[in-house]
Amino acid sequence: MCSTCGCGDPELVPVELHEKILAGNDRAARHNREHFGEHGVLALNLMGSPGAGKTAVLEATARALGGKYRLGAISADLATDNDARRLEGAGIVSKAITTGQACHLDAALVHHALHDFAWRETDIFFIENVGNLVCPAIYDLGQAANVVVLSVTEGEDKPLKYPVMFKAADLVLLTKCDLIPHLDVEVARIEDALARVMPRPLHLELSARTGAGMGEWISWLEEKLVAMPPRSSKEQGHSHDHQHHHMLEHHHAHAHGRARPTGKGRTAHEP
Ligand SMILES: Nc1nc2c(ncn2[C@@H]2O[C@H](COP(=O)(O)OP(=O)(O)OP(=O)(O)O)[C@@H](O)[C@H]2O)c(=O)[nH]1
Ligand SMILES: [Mg+2]
């Protein structure tokens, strides 16, 4: 149970207050979206159950791209920075957000994490959400698209049981497909469930372990990159002197440091 949002429980957080929280979140998300758009960064919100394979997909993505694009990520966990360390190990500039009791990211948390992070220097910025098939779906973070990672071990009916998540998905990555021969899973049933729930059903089958299917995922990413507006001239010297309208306090007086290239087009943290 999430102590900040009450997970939509009207007894814990009254409906009016919940609507206010979401309205505030939407403002902060618009602000993040402006930032990402201004700098031509493709931001993706990666969601899915605990252990679905979100981090593994990102590691495999970095391997498949081999340095072609600059990748960044923030990864949210209740209590550890394990995923951020894994992603750094894969060559993705990463930062952990530990959410404590919160079972989802919100736009203000993401914005706060961006402050001391060289996200502007990335081409694709992944936001690995808290492992959870419920609340993350209702919090806009300012991303360009939602990608839901669903593994073949989770049961064919998950899209039907957790429709809110799959309704919000622009793309579902059906992962761990290398395990299919060992399971009783029927992929056609998963496809059918996705078709019933997703407004525009789209899924790709892959295995982070073997790399099978990664090509199509990379093509999807490249289509999104091509559709991004060009980076604005502001990218050269972002002063951050605009108005902020969100809940968190900011310390924007400082100019943001620029990232150092570290070879192969990658970047390193700077304060
Ligand atoms: N066989 C197989 N195992 C996988 C694959 N992808 C992930 N795994 C395994 O699944 C487990 C969970 O993977 P993670 O990448 O940590 O999953 P996650 O969704 O990031 O987990 P949380 O961030 O904790 O919610 C690990 O033991 C992975 O090795 C895959 O494609 N095939
Ligand atoms: Mg993870």
Side-chain angles (χ1 to χ4, degrees):
M1 176 59 70
C2 175
S3 60
T4 54
C5 73
C7 299
D9 182 345
E11 289 189 6
L12 213 71
V13 178
V15 172
E16 311 80 64
L17 181 57
H18 199 252
E19 279 169 1
K20 252 188 178 167
I21 291 170
L22 284 179
N25 184 73
D26 283 350
R27 275 195 300 278
R30 270 199 300 278
H31 181 74
N32 290 347
R33 190 165 282 116
E34 278 168 23
H35 274 323
F36 291 129
E38 208 170 84
H39 294 279
V41 173
L42 174 62
L44 298 172
N45 183 9
L46 199 68
M47 297 179 280
S49 314
K54 298 177 290 300
T55 309
V57 163
L58 296 185
E59 292 170 313
T61 304
R63 280 198 297 275
L65 284 170
K68 187 171 178 187
Y69 302 108
R70 300 166 301 175
L71 306 180
I74 48 178
S75 57
D77 273 318
L78 266 60
T80 79
D81 64 355
N82 292 357
D83 287 359
R85 285 192 282 113
R86 277 171 64 188
L87 295 173
E88 281 282 347
I92 301 176
V93 182
S94 304
K95 184 180 162 100
I97 300 182
T98 41
T99 60
Q101 302 217 353
C103 55
H104 61 270
L105 279 174
D106 63 31
L109 275 172
V110 170
H111 188 267
H112 196 64
L114 295 179
H115 277 183
D116 52 357
F117 188 50
W119 61 273
R120 289 179 199 80
E121 311 302 324
T122 64
D123 300 306
I124 309 176
F125 188 76
F126 296 104
I127 304 166
E128 182 184 340
N129 220 308
V130 179
N132 178 350
L133 270 186
V134 187
C135 329
I138 60 170
Y139 284 82
D140 184 8
L141 306 178
Q143 70 279 5
N146 284 330
V147 178
V148 176
V149 176
L150 173 68
S151 57
V152 291
T153 56
E154 289 174 57
E156 294 108 333
D157 56 357
K158 286 302 166 294
L160 303 177
K161 286 183 171 177
Y162 299 91
V164 176
M165 175 60 72
F166 292 91
K167 267 183 193 151
D170 296 293
L171 171 69
V172 170
L173 296 178
L174 187 60
T175 189
K176 307 195 190 181
C177 286
D178 57 289
L179 296 177
I180 291 173
H182 311 287
L183 304 169
D184 288 332
V185 63
E186 275 182 51
V187 173
R189 290 184 60 198
I190 302 178
E191 287 169 350
D192 179 61
L194 290 173
R196 286 167 192 261
V197 175
M198 290 176 76
R200 273 180 294 177
L202 181 63
H203 81 282
L204 299 174
E205 294 170 24
L206 56 82
S207 164
R209 183 169 182 194
T210 66
M214 291 300 293
E216 280 183 86
W217 160 233
I218 300 297
S219 300
W220 185 89
L221 288 172
E222 291 189 323
E223 274 170 33
K224 291 280 167 197
L225 277 173
V226 168
M228 289 292 295
R231 290 181 182 231
S232 78
S233 55
K234 284 187 192 170
E235 188 194 5
Q236 301 307 318
H238 183 76
S239 64
H240 234 153
D241 55 356
H242 52 269
Q243 286 291 312
H244 288 282
H245 300 288
H246 54 74
M247 297 169 286
L248 282 183
E249 281 191 16
H250 288 281
H251 304 285
H252 275 181
H254 64 280
H256 285 282
R258 306 296 290 171
R260 302 180 300 272
T262 57
K264 274 206 148 184
R266 294 191 182 124
T267 56
H269 295 290
E270 273 196 5

